[in-house]
């Protein structure tokens, strides 16, 4: 986890959004940890790699999908419906959150249709 990770442009956008929104050391684009009397630009915001140790340890795990994408963990799964990658905590999950809602509704409707068909006969 100490190796410097090179980021793709979409990953850079996700990381920068995460830094601005979640990092407690980022104050209006300035790093509080590197402040020695004058403001210093956050190195993570201007870098194309993961430099900040605090970001890697404390902030990045908050975005499970990005973390799995960068560190190639096995938490990343592929949705059987749409093929998109998503983060999962369970082995039995087959669908991404967007598809899961749609499929659950479709399966419930089909189940109720069968149940009503048995009652009307």
């Amino acid at each position: 986890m100490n190796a410097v990770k090179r980021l793709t442009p979409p990953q850079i956008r996700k990381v920068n959004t995460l830094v601005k929104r979640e990092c407690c050391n980022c104050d209006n684009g300035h790093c509080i940890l590197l402040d020695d009397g004058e403001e210093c630009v956050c190195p993570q915001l201007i870098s194309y790699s993961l430099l900040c140790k605090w970001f890697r340890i404390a902030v990045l795990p908050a975005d499970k999908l990005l973390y799995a994408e960068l560190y190639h963990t096995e938490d990343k799964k592929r949705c059987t419906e749409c093929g998109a990658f998503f983060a999962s905590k369970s082995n039995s999950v087959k669908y991404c959150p967007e598809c899961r809602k749609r499929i659950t509704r479709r399966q419930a409707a089909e189940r109720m249709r069968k149940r009503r068909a048995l009652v009307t006969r």
Side-chain angles (χ1 to χ4, degrees), residues 27-40:
D27 181 34
N28 295 327
H30 302 288
C31 185
I32 295 172
L33 290 178
L34 299 177
D35 189 0
D36 61 347
E38 57 184 66
E39 294 180 335
C40 178

Side-chain angles (χ1 to χ4, degrees), residues 71-83:
Y71 289 107
H72 304 292
T73 62
E74 298 303 318
D75 296 340
K76 188 169 65 169
K77 293 191 170 199
R78 185 180 288 271
C79 177
T80 57
E81 187 73 14
C82 67

Side-chain angles (χ1 to χ4, degrees), residues 12-121:
I12 292 169
R13 285 190 293 277
K14 289 178 188 176
V15 165
N16 287 346
T17 302
L18 201 57
V19 167
K20 291 174 187 173
R21 190 180 41 194
E22 298 293 330
C23 187
C24 64
N25 294 320
C26 183
D27 181 34
N28 295 327
H30 302 288
C31 185
I32 295 172
L33 290 178
L34 299 177
D35 189 0
D36 61 347
E38 57 184 66
E39 294 180 335
C40 178
V41 176
C42 179
Q44 190 59 58
L45 291 176
I46 59 174
S47 173
Y48 295 110
S49 59
L50 292 177
L51 296 177
C52 181
K53 185 175 180 182
W54 175 263
F55 176 78
R56 284 183 296 186
I57 294 171
V59 181
L60 187 59
D63 188 346
K64 294 184 186 330
L65 183 59
L66 182 61
Y67 184 82
E69 186 177 329
L70 291 175
Y71 289 107
H72 304 292
T73 62
E74 298 303 318
D75 296 340
K76 188 169 65 169
K77 293 191 170 199
R78 185 180 288 271
C79 177
T80 57
E81 187 73 14
C82 67
F85 283 104
F86 66 99
S88 171
K89 293 181 181 176
S90 172
N91 289 338
S92 63
V93 178
K94 292 175 25 178
Y95 307 110
C96 65
E98 292 82 21
C99 292
R100 185 178 60 223
K101 293 176 188 175
R102 187 175 61 250
I103 290 170
T104 302
R105 286 180 56 101
R106 184 175 60 204
Q107 289 174 344
E110 183 64 30
R111 184 174 56 250
M112 292 306 291
R113 214 175 281 124
K114 285 181 182 179
R115 186 175 173 189
R116 286 186 209 108
L118 292 174
V119 172
T120 58
R121 287 184 183 177

